[in-house]
Amino acid sequence: MKHILDRPIWSALETAHADLAEGNEKARRYPPSIVPFAASADDAPESLDALEELPAPEESMILVEAGPIAIPPSLAIVTEASVVQMVAERPHARISDPRIEPLTETDAADMLALATLTKPGPFTLRAQSLGSFWGIRSEGRLVAMAGQRMRQTGFTELSGFCTHPDFQGRGLGTLLFRFVAGEIASTGDTAYLHAYAANTSAISLYETQGFALRSEMNMRVVKRRS
């Protein structure tokens, strides 16, 4: 691994999120009730053997790496995609806005409903186990949110940003994006994110917000062969 973000799932589970890790020194994953991310330490046969032991039957895992993703023959590829990893070129200023409020466990169902509608990426009722989230409500309804997901030494992933279709085009998503980026920078960490390579409109937006391409990434969703 040349950079700590080349295997972001592994490095997160080895550092800041080690307390959440399931597995051993060869392969680890997050509890699937939090997020279905997993990784091997490297591509050595013993690491791939450990990776294949992680999922239960019919359980899928998501792997994300900078290079080609090696998997053991007992795991089948469900789907795969090209992803980009972008990093903040400079620390973002911390901002405030009276509409932005911290989200707590009591908001979990509303958060999942918004994520299910807008599909920002893997999201569960326990997403807040990974990091803090903030949102904006309109007449009591959660209409926009963003938060933190994976963390490594010196880095925090900005994730989960989404806006209800009825409220898009009002700048709420950009506001929350800037807010979370500022919160990450205030801790001394560098903010980063992932986006599908085909989502050029999102990538262009992130570039306007001071994020630059760090690496092209690969993503594979795998499960045990029947």
Side-chain angles (χ1 to χ4, degrees), residues 175-199:
L175 173 63
L176 278 168
F177 187 97
R178 292 174 52 226
F179 178 88
V180 178
E183 292 300 299
I184 293 172
S186 72
T187 70
D189 279 3
T190 297
Y192 76 101
L193 58 85
H194 292 100
Y196 286 110
N199 194 351

Side-chain angles (χ1 to χ4, degrees), residues 101-114 123 125 128 133-135 137 140 142 145:
E101 60 184 58
L103 299 177
T104 68
E105 291 183 4
T106 61
D107 300 300
D110 288 345
M111 295 167 66
L112 180 61
L114 182 59
F123 204 90
L125 285 170
Q128 294 175 78
F133 276 79
W134 294 267
R137 290 184 177 274
L142 183 65
M145 69 175 181

Side-chain angles (χ1 to χ4, degrees), residues 102-175:
L103 299 177
T104 68
E105 291 183 4
T106 61
D107 300 300
D110 288 345
M111 295 167 66
L112 180 61
L114 182 59
T116 300
L117 176 66
T118 58
K119 298 178 172 55
F123 204 90
T124 69
L125 285 170
R126 296 185 61 197
Q128 294 175 78
S129 300
L130 301 176
S132 300
F133 276 79
W134 294 267
I136 295 174
R137 290 184 177 274
S138 176
E139 298 181 350
R141 178 170 57 154
L142 183 65
V143 298
M145 69 175 181
Q148 303 166 355
R149 190 164 63 180
M150 290 187 287
R151 287 190 293 122
Q152 299 82 5
T153 303
F155 294 90
T156 298
E157 183 187 21
L158 201 166
S159 185
F161 29 89
C162 51
T163 304
H164 192 285
D166 293 346
F167 290 82
Q168 291 178 359
R170 304 185 188 186
L172 300 183
T174 300
L175 173 63

